[in-house]
Amino acid sequence: MGVGETIRGVVKIFTVAVTIVVVAVPEGLPLAVTLTLAFSMRKMMRDKALVRRLSACETMGSATTICSDKTGTLTLNQMTVVEAYFGGEKMDPPDNTQKLSAAVSTMIIEGIAQNTSGSIFEPEGGQAPEVTGSPTEKAILSWGLQLGMKFSETRSKSSILQVFPFNSEKKRGGVAVQVGDSEVHVYWKGAAELILESCTSWIDKDGSKQSMTPEKVGEFKKFIEDMAVASLRCVAFAYRPCEMSDVPKEDQRADWVLPEDNLIMLGIVGIKDPCRPGVQDSIRLCAAAGIKVRMVTGDNLQTARAIALECGILTDPNVSEPTIIEGKTFRELSDLEREEVADKISVMGRSSPNDKLLLVKALRNRGHVVAVTGDGTNDAPALHEADIGLSMGIQGTEVAKESSDIIILDDNFATLVRVVRWGRSVYANIQKFIQFQLTVNVAALIINVVSAVSSGDVPLNAVQLLWVNLIMDTLGALALATEPPNNHLMQRPPVGRREPLITNIMWRNLLIMAFYQVAILLTLTFKGLTLLRLEHDNPAHAEILKNTFIFNTFVLCQVFSEFNARKPDELNIFKGIAGNKLFIAIIAITVVLQVLIIEFLGKFTTTVRLSWQLWLVSIGLAFVSWPLALVGKLIPVPDRPFLDMFTCCCPGKKEADDGKEDSGVKNIEVV
């Protein structure tokens, strides 16, 4: 043997070895992951969801619980005052002040106009006033206009001395105003039951101050409960008169704390914020998908219960703690108690942003993948702590948006559910691609390794394997990574943190397809000349023809296998295929290129043209993949992952795995 032949032999062996390594390494997986994430991100934008962190797409698909705000997410955020209780009587309609004295009406209007963070623009020419501010402020200011309030005129009659902005912890906001030369009114507005606790008297319809007797307290509480049962947000108005001598001098006023006790109750309003259309269907869809929706709101328990029943979060009106719990009660529990209670909570009322943060931490410690919504600056810690932070695009502050992973542009809970669908689609598409790729990998490796060991030659040369690699990686990623979501994805439970990426169903499908492809191709490798009746042909031509037929059959098997990978756990592999035009286009391109390679690029790929009979045989052998996969899907698989069965046999590995800390949303294990 000459030196040249030896070098050529070494180069050939090296080329085959490198090619096998190239085929074996799944370099197309990062491409598939990036493609499906980017594709989903663009599609989610059309569904009113702006993804700020790419990996959040896939994480959202694994969410096991959603902690949602009420106002603007579950409800329309279109608040109106529908009930009012002033002067010790119910006002019917709520803007009817005929029974109230002029002094009481003036005080109510002054409290509304001065104790607000909103504003009213009153255009000239008799046009309707424009009300701005938070939804609650807009509702109260609009009600004030119905009472006859002239906003600018009312504010000009008194001067503001000190403001206590609304505090989410205390659930109230106040203002001190100077009326005349020496009279000062301190107005408070906030959660009805909390304001009521601070009141020692109340104003009747004639403007007389009455003592707050236990009977009157019970009457106010009954009215608050009745409004709350009707799913109304209850806001109370109270004031306290002071003398100018009680007010610090102007240079010392910055540290002045407005008096919060011995208040005089003016009255209570009930504000209606209707549920969003379709929110019940969205919550039912979440329940079917194994996702528990929990409502976290600042409203009192009765209002929260009524809204939760209306939305479908609660089904039994008689539930008690810990299913429905107050933020203060949850806050006072120990860390261990909070974790035990957190799983059972469906509604948290009178909650502060810190209560939401404690709930998120407790749920994560219980192993949940938590998605949480937030719109305020104080929600930033909870949004940052959650696995997926979802801020509101309309009502959300910039701080909340910066702390979130996804921005819900229309503040709608239904959009949030669509994000879950896309997230599950991302994970499912990655699994489809892995099943397809591993099938090709296993078959190509076994065929070439067995052939190389047994005969010293391989049926698939370097160029042919690189073409297979192109089909498997680039074109396969494009075809399978862009599969749109379907309703079937929302009928399965979420993927756990430590569940293996390759499921038992995938193992079953993969092994059946790989075994079939290896069986027919090895048979053709060793018995192909006889089966194809090429014994009497020129030996060199017969060998090339056999290898061409093997290559063609192998590629067509991957084309048919790509259809099987679309639906790993469904019998109908063609369901929804018309909606994925890119998949159809890539299959068509693959087939056309394969025909061109076989028929016209033989010199480049070391192939020869095939007769139409051999083409039909290749197609027939590849077609068997479909009925074989159909039969394979009827074979049941155990619920317990194969990996767990393996770790039972390896106690050391199991202990090592148990000792690992979760560093991300899921510990993805590829076996």
Side-chain angles (χ1 to χ4, degrees):
M1 182 183 294
V3 176
E5 288 186 16
T6 303
I7 293 173
R8 280 195 294 273
V10 171
V11 170
K12 182 180 178 182
I13 292 170
F14 180 76
T15 304
V16 171
V18 170
T19 306
I20 289 174
V21 170
V22 169
V23 173
V25 175
E27 72 274 14
L29 184 56
L31 174 64
V33 172
T34 306
L35 270 175
T36 191
L37 287 173
F39 174 76
S40 299
M41 187 177 75
R42 285 193 61 189
K43 293 291 185 180
M44 285 163 69
M45 187 68 181
R46 296 181 187 176
D47 283 342
K48 306 296 184 184
L50 174 62
V51 179
R52 296 185 67 251
R53 187 166 60 89
L54 199 58
S55 61
C57 298
E58 184 265 340
T59 309
M60 193 64 195
S62 302
T64 58
T65 185
I66 298 172
C67 299
S68 174
D69 291 335
K70 175 186 76 72
T71 306
T73 307
L74 297 171
T75 60
L76 285 170
N77 212 9
Q78 297 173 358
M79 299 188 181
T80 51
V81 173
V82 295
E83 287 191 24
Y85 188 83
F86 283 82
E89 295 183 6
K90 182 176 180 179
M91 296 165 60
D92 191 17
D95 57 352
N96 182 12
T97 59
Q98 293 179 357
K99 294 182 180 180
L100 303 178
S101 66
V104 174
S105 297
T106 301
M107 199 170 293
I108 294 170
I109 288 172
E110 184 180 63
I112 293 171
Q114 295 288 26
N115 187 17
T116 182
S117 59
S119 182
I120 298 177
F121 173 68
E122 298 167 327
E124 297 178 358
Q127 296 179 357
E130 295 179 13
V131 183
T132 58
S134 70
T136 304
E137 294 289 357
K138 287 169 69 176
I140 293 171
L141 289 173
S142 298
W143 176 65
L145 290 174
Q146 294 172 0
L147 297 179
M149 177 181 69
K150 302 293 184 184
F151 186 72
S152 300
E153 183 182 322
T154 303
R155 286 175 70 92
S156 65
K157 290 180 181 178
S158 56
S159 57
I160 295 176
L161 302 175
Q162 180 73 313
V163 174
F164 180 84
F166 180 82
N167 184 290
S168 57
E169 294 285 342
K170 294 189 174 184
K171 304 293 181 186
R172 68 178 70 189
V175 65
V177 297
Q178 181 179 352
V179 183
D181 295 329
S182 60
E183 191 176 358
V184 175
H185 289 168
V186 177
Y187 288 103
W188 286 100
K189 175 181 70 182
E193 68 272 19
L194 300 182
I195 296 288
L196 181 60
E197 289 175 2
S198 303
C199 292
T200 55
S201 53
W202 61 283
I203 292 287
D204 65 16
K205 61 182 180 181
D206 298 321
S208 303
K209 187 171 79 169
Q210 305 291 337
S211 177
M212 186 68 79
T213 62
E215 292 78 14
K216 198 63 185 178
V217 170
E219 190 178 322
F220 274 110
K221 285 185 175 179
K222 178 68 169 60
F223 189 73
I224 292 170
E225 287 176 7
D226 290 345
M227 286 198 294
V229 168
S231 68
L232 304 183
R233 171 174 284 185
C234 307
V235 178
F237 298 83
Y239 87 107
R240 174 175 168 173
C242 295
E243 295 297 326
M244 196 63 196
S245 57
D246 299 328
V247 180
K249 294 181 180 179
E250 190 169 348
D251 57 346
Q252 301 173 347
R253 207 172 287 163
D255 298 326
W256 180 37
V257 178
L258 300 182
E260 300 180 35
D261 56 347
N262 297 322
L263 302 182
I264 303 170
M265 174 66 78
L266 286 172
I268 303 168
V269 295
I271 302 174
K272 179 71 174 176
D273 186 12
C275 281
R276 284 185 178 273
V279 74
Q280 284 188 341
D281 294 335
S282 297
I283 289 173
R284 274 197 295 269
L285 195 61
C286 285
I291 303 170
K292 184 175 178 64
V293 179
R294 307 169 200 269
M295 186 174 79
V296 183
T297 177
D299 289 339
N300 68 43
L301 285 186
Q302 294 303 322
T303 303
R305 185 195 302 268
I307 291 288
L309 287 167
E310 193 176 342
C311 292
I313 293 173
L314 292 178
T315 54
D316 181 6
N318 299 316
V319 293
S320 56
E321 285 190 14
T323 304
I324 179 168
I325 193 171
E326 198 169 54
K328 182 181 178 183
T329 306
F330 183 73
R331 193 185 317 143
E332 292 171 349
L333 298 174
S334 67
D335 291 345
L336 188 60
E337 288 172 330
R338 274 199 294 268
E339 286 183 24
E340 292 175 356
V341 167
D343 257 341
K344 303 171 185 175
I345 293 174
S346 292
V347 177
M348 183 183 288
R350 281 286 173 251
S351 68
S352 66
N354 190 53
D355 297 330
K356 185 188 287 187
L357 175 61
L358 292 174
L359 177 61
V360 170
K361 285 182 175 179
L363 289 169
R364 291 196 72 202
N365 289 339
R366 295 287 289 182
H368 286 282
V369 179
V370 184
V372 65
T373 67
D375 53 15
T377 301
N378 292 337
D379 289 324
L383 290 169
H384 184 74
E385 177 68 24
D387 294 297
I388 316 102
L390 301 141
S391 62
M392 301 296 110
I394 299 173
Q395 295 295 326
T397 62
E398 286 303 314
V399 174
K401 291 175 184 177
E402 286 296 322
S403 301
S404 66
D405 303 305
I406 299 174
I407 300 173
I408 306 299
L409 298 176
D410 60 355
D411 293 11
N412 193 343
F413 187 82
T415 301
L416 198 149
V417 177
R418 288 195 291 271
V419 171
V420 174
R421 277 166 54 96
W422 276 109
R424 292 194 172 191
S425 176
V426 168
Y427 191 75
N429 288 349
I430 292 170
Q431 287 184 312
K432 292 171 186 177
F433 176 74
I434 288 174
Q435 177 183 309
F436 171 67
Q437 188 174 52
L438 288 182
T439 302
V440 184
N441 276 356
V442 170
L445 281 175
I446 292 176
I447 293 162
N448 269 16
V449 169
V450 171
S451 300
V453 170
S454 60
S455 63
D457 205 354
V458 291
L460 301 175
N461 62 40
V463 176
Q464 293 168 357
L465 281 175
L466 289 173
W467 166 234
V468 170
N469 203 48
L470 182 63
I471 297 173
M472 180 177 67
D473 289 340
T474 309
L475 296 177
L478 280 169
L480 295 171
T482 55
E483 191 76 25
N486 54 60
N487 293 329
H488 181 69
L489 294 171
M490 298 299 285
Q491 295 167 4
R492 60 173 75 163
V495 179
R497 288 180 185 270
R498 297 190 53 87
E499 288 188 31
L501 183 60
I502 305 178
T503 64
N504 288 359
I505 290 174
M506 291 170 65
W507 277 120
R508 179 197 63 195
N509 298 343
L510 186 158
L511 292 173
I512 290 172
M513 284 296 98
F515 178 79
Y516 171 69
Q517 291 181 20
V518 168
I520 62 168
L521 295 179
L522 282 181
T523 302
L524 289 170
T525 300
F526 296 109
K527 297 291 183 181
L529 294 177
T530 305
L531 294 173
L532 298 176
R533 298 177 182 176
L534 301 174
E535 302 100 321
H536 306 298
D537 282 16
N538 178 279
H541 178 265
E543 189 66 25
I544 293 176
L545 184 61
K546 180 196 74 172
N547 288 343
T548 302
F549 180 77
I550 291 172
F551 168 58
N552 194 46
T553 304
F554 185 61
V555 169
L556 291 179
C557 278
Q558 308 326 314
V559 171
F560 282 82
S561 181
E562 214 159 345
F563 283 89
N564 290 330
R566 284 189 68 246
K567 303 290 181 183
D569 54 350
E570 293 183 53
L571 297 178
N572 184 4
I573 60 175
F574 302 105
K575 185 178 179 182
I577 196 169
N580 192 351
K581 294 181 174 57
L582 185 59
F583 179 88
I584 298 171
I586 287 171
I587 292 293
I589 290 169
T590 304
V591 172
V592 169
L593 289 176
Q594 179 64 15
V595 172
L596 290 175
I597 286 170
I598 296 296
E599 298 298 321
F600 303 105
L601 299 176
K603 192 171 183 181
F604 177 64
T605 56
T606 320
T607 57
V608 293
R609 292 186 176 184
L610 295 177
S611 65
W612 65 269
Q613 292 95 337
L614 289 179
W615 270 101
L616 286 179
V617 175
S618 287
I619 294 169
L621 290 171
F623 177 81
V624 176
S625 300
W626 285 353
L628 187 65
L630 183 67
V631 173
K633 288 173 185 176
L634 300 176
I635 301 172
V637 293
D639 294 330
R640 188 178 183 184
F642 290 144
L643 181 64
D644 287 359
M645 299 177 188
F646 174 71
T647 52
C648 287
C649 305
C650 305
K653 184 182 185 304
K654 187 177 189 302
E655 289 172 9
D657 285 347
D658 290 343
K660 290 178 184 175
E661 293 183 2
D662 290 325
S663 58
V665 177
K666 289 190 296 298
N667 181 19
I668 294 178
E669 301 177 58
V670 183
V671 184

